[in-house]
Amino acid sequence: MSLKQISVFLENKKGQLAEVSALLGGNNINLHALSIADTQDFGILRLIAENPEAVAAVIKDAGYICTLTDVIAVSVPHTPGSLAHIVQILSEGGVDIEYTYAFAAADDDRAYMVFRVSDNMTAAALLGGEGLKTLSEKDLFVK
Amino acid sequence: MNYYQPEIECASQEQIRAWQDERLVAQVKHVYENVPYYRNLMQEKGLTPDDIKGREDLHKLPFLTKNDLREAYPYGLLAVPTSECVRIQSTSGTTGKRVVAFYTQEDVNLWEDCCARAITAVGGTKEDVCQVAYGYGLFTGGPGLNGGSHKVGCLTLPMSSGNTERQIQFMRDLHATILCCTPSYAAYIGETVKEMGLTPEDLDLKAGIFGAEPWTEEMRRDIEKSLGLKAYDIYGLTETSGPGVSFECTEQKGMHINEDHFIAEIIDPETGEVLPDGEKGELVFTSITKKAFPLLRYRTRDICVLDRTPCACGRTHVRMSKPMGRSDDMLIIRGVNVFPSQIETVLLEKGYSPNYQILVDRVKNTDTLDINVELNPDQFSDTVKEISAREAALANDIKTVLGINPKIHLVAPKTITRSEGKAVRVIDKRKLHD
Ligand SMILES: [Zn+2]
């Protein structure tokens, strides 16, 4: 099961992130996760939000470059070494991890990890085989 | 293989050199005796015609620039009485005063020979129907190709430019096989053909001779596709006669310069020093056969490269590249000549937007070259790795062309500053420090 992440191209200029944040706030968009990868030149803003297609449309209309990217999200147990365990499962199964970031859901005390991997289907199957469920939009947003 | 004047176009290098030596000596004498403006320039350098014994002495002569033409306007560079002249042609004169060039009957004759060589080189014969859709009048395009077409014996359609649907109707009804016009007008005719619900199969065109403005290889491919012909370049300036100073053959690998009429040099635009063949620099022409308006060492401001390697078409005259830019736009970065148009060409070829900005600066006594390029939405990736790889690949492509390594910055669309609708292409901060 995969999720749609909203990926936005940002120039590494002061105020760009604030601009996008204001845009999202102004459109009443509630973010579940936000992560930024940046270099000296540019940044890539990665967002998880409800109804990603609509969010992406709002961002594009404001003139930004924006795409939807399939990622997987896993609920991580509060036990030492659990993240290392997930990474090991994926790498032993031949799945490459491009990047990963964590977020906490607002209404429970669980931690979630988002993974952008080379092969979502294989990754979900590998993790499922170890009893780790990858989340769908429904799992995250409909409570 | 067809030639209009095979004994000239395929002459040996020695023969060409001999013509050039002899004609140059006579031309310098003619100019010195009849053009006080140029005589003064020579005298300032302590030169008399006796100092010019052949091509090897050409570099001693003073340059002429567009500025000289303005100063000498209209008769100051005329070398024969107006009673000997039969024609003038003129530039559009968008910057400053227009250029007026004079022709004797023989000057017109030789110019038309040059255009006839160009038409023959793309396969034109007396069996062809040649549609001339360059403007007629003061502009050299129409009259030049019209005269060349007559000399080849083509059935000539003197359409001039404009009234595109009528152009296409004539093209179809009279089965035109050769089209002569500016490349932008050729592209427009191509679009109109499509809008009229026609395809290239409805036309009989086989070749097009397109010049008088800069165009890219991409435009060439588009025009060839939309009109179903092979598109050839032709070069010329009003100052040197008009189109036909050089022309492409069917090899499409540079334009053969008519060296029996013009001596071409490549100079360093900064120092004026003559550069060896194969080096990029400003093109300078010396007219060695024109009698009415014979310009010696005229600086074209066009930047190109000369190629003396043999051409498969059999012509022996040197080939010039398509002009890569104007010397006025040239930047010198780390001692290397850089033209914005070179960067633009790479961007278009690699699928980037032509909106870019060049930033030149000097950090710790070393010039830096940064290029901001607008990223297209379909080139975006959610991984830093891929975007960085794009920047590196583009930097490498540009380095291959320029010889120096730029730093590429991909930026969001529509973020490059535009002033009055036109993008500011170059910001040279070095000037602020000096
Ligand atoms: Zn050739």
Side-chain angles (χ1 to χ4, degrees):
Chain A
M1 205 55 95
S2 65
L3 272 182
K4 296 251 183 252
Q5 167 192 285
I6 303 143
S7 312
V8 189
F9 180 74
L10 293 182
E11 277 180 66
N12 213 345
K13 273 197 294 215
K14 256 198 188 139
Q16 277 238 308
L17 180 59
E19 246 179 63
V20 180
S21 306
L23 174 72
L24 297 173
N27 283 277
N28 224 354
I29 293 163
N30 188 17
L31 298 179
H32 286 258
L34 177 153
S35 149
I36 296 185
D38 60 356
T39 69
Q40 269 190 333
D41 270 346
F42 63 88
I44 300 168
L45 176 64
R46 296 157 182 157
L47 308 170
I48 301 288
E50 202 167 344
N51 203 352
E53 285 83 4
V55 175
V58 167
I59 296 172
K60 271 186 197 164
D61 284 348
Y64 293 91
I65 293 183
C66 172
T67 56
L68 292 176
T69 314
D70 287 323
V71 293
I72 57 170
V74 197
S75 157
V76 184
H78 277 300
T79 49
S82 55
L83 175 60
H85 180 55
I86 294 173
V87 172
Q88 194 189 356
I89 294 168
L90 293 176
S91 76
E92 278 175 3
V95 174
D96 296 328
I97 301 172
E98 289 284 353
Y99 54 80
T100 177
Y101 53 94
F103 68 97
D107 49 0
D108 58 29
D109 60 348
R110 300 201 63 130
Y112 297 92
M113 292 299 299
V114 172
F115 291 92
R116 161 78 152 86
V117 293
S118 53
D119 180 346
N120 283 324
M121 293 275 278
T122 310
L126 286 168
L127 295 172
E130 299 286 329
L132 291 159
K133 190 169 171 282
T134 51
L135 306 176
S136 70
E137 251 175 78
K138 234 163 65 189
D139 298 325
L140 265 182
F141 303 122
V142 185
K143 293 278 152 118
Chain B
M1 202 67 78
N2 287 327
Y3 311 102
Y4 179 67
Q5 291 167 312
E7 70 293 348
I8 297 171
E9 294 176 65
C10 304
S12 68
Q13 294 279 325
E14 295 70 34
Q15 178 61 69
I16 293 172
R17 177 74 198 230
W19 282 326
Q20 291 189 335
D21 285 339
E22 184 198 326
R23 291 172 188 178
L24 175 66
V25 169
Q27 187 76 306
V28 170
K29 197 162 172 283
H30 170 60
V31 171
Y32 190 87
E33 284 167 5
N34 297 298
V35 184
Y37 188 96
Y38 200 78
R39 180 164 63 234
N40 287 340
L41 292 179
M42 282 179 68
Q43 283 169 344
E44 276 169 26
K45 293 190 121 193
L47 292 171
T48 68
D50 291 340
D51 295 310
I52 310 301
K53 298 193 169 64
R55 243 205 96 149
E56 67 279 8
D57 297 320
L58 181 61
H59 70 274
K60 296 176 183 168
L61 289 171
F63 290 116
L64 283 174
T65 64
K66 193 115 181 175
N67 210 31
D68 291 306
L69 266 64
R70 282 189 200 122
E71 269 183 41
Y73 176 88
Y75 295 117
L77 291 163
L78 183 63
V80 298
T82 47
S83 58
E84 296 300 308
C85 298
V86 297
R87 170 98 65 84
I88 68 149
Q89 303 284 172
S90 177
T91 60
S92 56
T94 45
T95 51
K97 251 187 214 154
R98 52 179 66 233
V99 169
V100 171
F102 300 83
Y103 302 72
T104 64
Q105 184 57 59
E106 182 61 3
D107 291 341
V108 172
N109 184 34
L110 297 179
W111 171 30
E112 291 177 351
D113 279 345
C114 290
C115 292
R117 289 180 195 174
I119 293 169
T120 310
V122 305
T125 68
K126 64 194 287 286
E127 308 301 328
D128 281 293
V129 177
C130 181
Q131 181 157 351
V132 182
Y134 279 111
Y136 278 64
L138 286 171
F139 175 49
T140 55
L145 270 306
N146 188 84
S149 176
H150 280 213
K151 286 212 164 195
V152 174
C154 302
L155 175 60
T156 308
L157 312 186
M159 301 296 298
S160 197
S161 59
N163 205 339
T164 309
E165 295 208 1
R166 190 183 66 187
Q167 296 268 2
I168 294 167
Q169 198 171 0
F170 266 89
M171 194 178 278
R172 295 185 69 200
D173 294 351
L174 291 151
H175 306 284
T177 50
I178 298 174
L179 174 66
C180 307
C181 61
T182 61
S184 54
Y185 193 49
Y188 184 74
I189 295 176
E191 282 166 30
T192 311
V193 164
K194 200 173 162 190
E195 277 167 20
M196 289 167 74
L198 301 172
T199 68
E201 285 72 44
D202 296 312
L203 308 172
D204 299 288
L205 294 172
K206 62 176 187 185
I209 300 177
F210 306 128
E213 60 187 27
W215 51 311
T216 61
E217 284 302 314
E218 198 185 359
M219 263 177 96
R220 190 207 293 266
R221 286 190 290 270
D222 287 350
I223 294 169
E224 289 189 337
K225 219 168 108 191
S226 69
L227 290 173
L229 46 65
K230 291 289 264 180
Y232 299 98
D233 207 350
I234 187 166
Y235 177 89
L237 307 158
T238 307
E239 293 90 319
T240 54
S241 62
V245 170
S246 66
F247 58 86
E248 249 181 356
C249 62
T250 48
E251 298 297 311
Q252 294 184 319
K253 283 178 186 155
M255 295 176 272
H256 289 283
I257 295 171
N258 286 310
E259 290 190 281
D260 52 326
H261 298 303
F262 305 99
I263 302 178
E265 298 170 280
I266 294 288
I267 62 160
D268 180 323
E270 287 294 300
T271 64
E273 188 193 334
V274 178
L275 300 174
D277 287 345
E279 278 195 35
K280 185 177 69 193
E282 184 179 337
L283 185 60
V284 173
F285 277 117
T286 296
S287 294
I288 50 175
T289 51
K290 282 184 68 170
K291 287 298 172 223
F293 200 67
L295 299 188
L296 304 180
R297 299 198 89 199
Y298 181 68
R299 294 184 60 160
T300 62
R301 311 311 287 178
D302 282 327
I303 300 296
C304 10
V305 175
L306 295 183
D307 181 0
R308 264 194 201 283
T309 58
C311 184
C313 76
R315 287 177 185 76
T316 48
H317 293 229
V318 69
R319 281 167 294 161
M320 59 177 267
S321 66
K322 194 182 263 304
M324 304 163 186
R326 304 282 294 167
S327 57
D328 317 69
D329 302 332
M330 187 179 80
L331 294 161
I332 302 176
I333 304 171
R334 282 174 237 157
V336 176
N337 299 349
V338 171
F339 300 94
S341 55
Q342 292 176 293
I343 293 169
E344 189 168 330
T345 305
V346 175
L347 293 180
L348 288 173
E349 269 173 19
K350 300 294 170 188
Y352 288 92
S353 129
N355 279 319
Y356 62 93
Q357 193 163 51
I358 298 168
L359 302 139
V360 189
D361 204 348
R362 187 168 292 144
V363 179
K364 291 178 188 154
N365 291 319
T366 305
D367 294 340
T368 59
L369 171 60
D370 289 70
I371 308 171
N372 290 335
V373 181
E374 289 185 357
L375 188 68
N376 285 330
D378 60 353
Q379 294 167 327
F380 174 57
S381 149
D382 64 306
T383 68
V384 169
K385 192 171 74 182
E386 274 182 48
I387 297 180
S388 296
R390 264 193 175 278
E391 289 184 331
L394 185 56
N396 196 50
D397 292 330
I398 291 175
K399 188 192 171 201
T400 310
V401 173
L402 299 184
I404 56 169
N405 218 343
K407 176 97 184 65
I408 301 294
H409 309 273
L410 292 173
V411 301
K414 303 195 182 77
T415 54
I416 288 175
T417 346
R418 288 162 171 81
S419 70
E420 291 168 0
K422 226 176 152 187
V424 179
R425 290 276 172 249
V426 179
I427 297 175
D428 193 343
K429 293 184 181 162
R430 293 174 300 183
K431 288 170 185 159
L432 302 175
H433 313 317
D434 290 342

